[in-house]
Amino acid sequence: MVLEEKKDPMGQAIRDYFEQGRAGTLRVCSSLFDDDEMPVPMLFRTESDMNALERTALRHCRGRVLDVGAGAGCHALVLQDRGLPVTAIDVSPLSVDTMRRRGVNDARACDFFDDDCGGPFDTVLLLMNGMGVCGRLDRLPLFFHRIDRVLADGGQVLADSSDLRYVFEDEDGNFTPEPDGRYYGEVDFRMVYGKVKGPRFDWLYIDFATLARSAARAGFRAELLCEGNHYDYLARITRA
Ligand code: SAH
């Protein structure tokens, strides 16, 4: 579902930063972590600010690209500069408007799960814990169903995520997740920017083995392309 302007803290922060070169504090509240701040300039990072995992992902992009949850459009702009046709989607119309003003040629306000995103695409890109858009583990079958709809023959998904196991490990490496039976990487968040409070939303952090099993069940194959330096990784998913 596309966000309303008055309930879209990140979109407001992105617009402010684009228009004024600075933004207020974008707060991130969650059930699992202490309240934190998302640095808004980070959403405007250029290729040289990007980490190895993101650069690897950009290097592997080919053909027509769908950037899912594109934010301020940092990856879309790099790929466009390289001559790749990019469609950038986001549930935040404010972010989409900013992407257009920054020069993203095809930016659309849509929800990957509900709306027609165009296509078919040779590459579907999901970055910055991009698998998070799935929200919960039980939404993975729907995710793969949607991927199957938009992916061209021979196409690939490039997505990053993190294994949150470290959050639940003690010094001796004993793993004790919350005893509520939920997958330990399901986190709920809420963003706040000044007086603008966003809705709470689910964000999924998935370890690679679980992702690979879910992909296989849906007729896909997940491959580990690169590991980051804090339990994060980049995966490539293709049809099996
Ligand atoms: N990829 C960008 C932004 C990451 S923040 C970057 O690396 O800088 C995650 C983005 O995903 C947010 O802008 C949010 O609005 C968007 N988003 C969340 N769920 C989505 C969905 N179902 N469909 C499309 N965009 C989504």
Side-chain angles (χ1 to χ4, degrees), residues 1 3 8 10 14 38 42-45 54 67-75 89-92 95 110-114 126-128 132-134 139 201 203:
M1 217 173 51
L3 288 170
D8 180 10
M10 192 191 272
I14 284 177
M38 181 180 287
M42 187 269 297
L43 294 164
F44 286 77
R45 62 204 181 281
E54 293 179 288
D67 185 356
V68 177
C74 59
H75 301 110
I89 63 165
D90 204 287
V91 286
S92 157
S95 301
C110 59
D111 185 324
F112 178 68
F113 291 93
D114 299 337
L126 301 111
L127 289 180
M128 207 170 129
V133 296
C134 295
R139 300 240 304 165
F201 61 93
W203 200 254

Side-chain angles (χ1 to χ4, degrees), residues 178-199:
E178 297 290 320
D180 59 6
R182 285 197 334 182
Y183 174 62
Y184 64 87
E186 292 177 344
V187 183
D188 70 275
F189 284 107
R190 181 192 288 276
M191 319 271 293
V192 181
Y193 182 65
K195 292 199 175 82
V196 186
K197 252 190 178 180

Side-chain angles (χ1 to χ4, degrees), residues 37-177:
E37 190 184 319
M38 181 180 287
V40 182
M42 187 269 297
L43 294 164
F44 286 77
R45 62 204 181 281
T46 59
E47 196 174 357
S48 55
D49 305 319
M50 289 175 190
N51 64 30
L53 215 124
E54 293 179 288
R55 284 196 235 176
T56 305
L58 292 174
R59 213 175 47 244
H60 279 85
C61 284
R62 53 176 174 72
R64 291 153 296 174
V65 180
L66 177 67
D67 185 356
V68 177
C74 59
H75 301 110
L77 287 168
V78 172
L79 295 170
Q80 230 177 241
D81 275 353
R82 293 188 187 169
L84 296 181
V86 184
T87 298
I89 63 165
D90 204 287
V91 286
S92 157
L94 284 171
S95 301
V96 169
D97 182 54
T98 305
M99 280 197 266
R100 289 190 188 125
R101 293 164 72 191
R102 296 187 75 205
V104 175
N105 296 326
D106 183 12
R108 307 182 191 184
C110 59
D111 185 324
F112 178 68
F113 291 93
D114 299 337
D115 302 317
D116 177 12
C117 315
F121 297 97
D122 303 295
T123 302
V124 178
L125 190 64
L126 301 111
L127 289 180
M128 207 170 129
N129 280 304
M131 285 304 296
V133 296
C134 295
R136 293 184 316 266
L137 211 54
D138 65 6
R139 300 240 304 165
L140 283 172
L142 176 62
F143 172 73
F144 285 112
H145 172 76
R146 295 294 296 168
I147 289 294
D148 198 40
R149 289 278 297 266
V150 299
L151 206 60
D153 284 349
Q156 59 171 350
V157 178
L158 299 170
D160 65 348
S161 195
S162 304
D163 184 351
L164 290 194
R165 177 173 259 277
Y166 69 90
V167 176
F168 302 97
E169 269 176 359
D170 63 22
E171 310 86 78
D172 302 323
N174 298 311
F175 177 58
T176 43

